[in-house]
Amino acid sequence: MEDRLNRIESKIALSEDLLEELNLMVFRQQQQIDRLQQQIVDLHRQLASGSPGERRDLREEIPPHY
């Protein structure tokens, strides 16, 4: 009976450690998702405002060897 109880306690301790590790992983992933979403919003604003850079016509750009 005591051996069984020790195994159960060990499994619970391991489960608690794994749960804590998973919680930390989820927290970090959420932070990364938040950063990526903010970058998307920023890029969308840049595109909407037309300020990502000046427009250029690639046909007007002649390589130096021509």
Side-chain angles (χ1 to χ4, degrees):
M1 176 76 169
E2 190 168 324
D3 184 47
R4 183 172 175 222
L5 189 57
N6 285 336
R7 283 184 297 174
I8 291 172
E9 287 176 348
S10 294
K11 287 183 179 184
I12 289 173
L14 179 61
S15 296
E16 288 174 345
D17 290 344
L18 288 174
L19 181 61
E20 184 63 33
E21 189 176 329
L22 287 172
N23 281 335
L24 184 58
M25 187 182 300
V26 169
F27 176 74
R28 288 180 182 156
Q29 286 177 341
Q30 186 60 51
Q31 286 180 321
Q32 185 178 20
I33 289 169
D34 292 342
R35 283 192 306 269
L36 291 171
Q37 285 178 330
Q38 186 59 48
Q39 288 177 354
I40 290 171
V41 168
D42 293 343
L43 288 171
H44 180 69
R45 283 188 191 135
Q46 283 181 352
L47 288 174
S49 69
S51 65
E54 59 187 58
R55 290 186 174 243
R56 60 184 194 191
D57 188 2
L58 294 178
R59 289 175 285 179
E60 293 177 7
E61 293 185 17
I62 299 174
H65 63 277
Y66 280 107

